[in-house]
Amino acid sequence: MKSNINLTEDEKDCLQELMNIAYGSATAAITEILNAFAKLSIPKIQIIDAIELKPYLAKELNLNEEHLVSLQQINGTISGENMFVINKKSARNIAFKFGLEEDEINDEEICDIVLEITNILSSSTISKLAEDIDTNVSFSAPIIKNLTSISELNNLFISKYEKVIIISTQLNFEDLNIHAELFIFTTDNSILYIKEKLNKILDEL
């Protein structure tokens, strides 16, 4: 039965619109903290088989250079995981924007800053989405790791699920060499709940 999980074009458009609004509140929060204009690209939304996730990420991410990956579990009716991926150079540039001097920047400081950005993005986007589809969510503390190959992503919770909905966007800063990507993964029952709420919104239009 669960194999029939999918989104129609209307449902996808509706979710994209909700995510645009959610990303608006996230970019405002980050712009304010860093005092630099941040932009999140139009979200890309797709549902794939969970076993295809690693090959998908291998294709999407340029892992020729070292990246930092921050993972944060989402708990509630919408359950899943947020994944924030940023290359080391961009992470250093964010550290400068946080006001750190060259001699203050070390791996620990960079990790703390990436975790803080993850918290802002997660709480802003998912909380706003949850509010718009009438539910509540909570977040586990994010964890961070260095990533030099996709095989190192062995702690993704995905093995428990059949399908995964991927909402992905790129975070860019104007005039700054900072590029990162945010992936939101939600699964099986969450997708069915989201579908139901999207249809309620569509019916009211």
Side-chain angles (χ1 to χ4, degrees), residues 192-203:
L192 294 174
Y193 178 81
I194 289 168
K195 260 178 85 75
E196 186 189 315
K197 290 295 183 178
L198 292 174
N199 279 300
K200 198 168 169 222
I201 292 167
L202 289 165
D203 288 345

Side-chain angles (χ1 to χ4, degrees), residues 29 32 36 43 45 48 68 98 108 116 140 144 184 197-198:
E32 192 178 334
I45 295 167
I48 63 171
L68 288 168
F98 264 83
E108 194 182 336
E116 188 166 340
S140 303
I144 195 164
I184 300 168
K197 290 295 183 178
L198 292 174

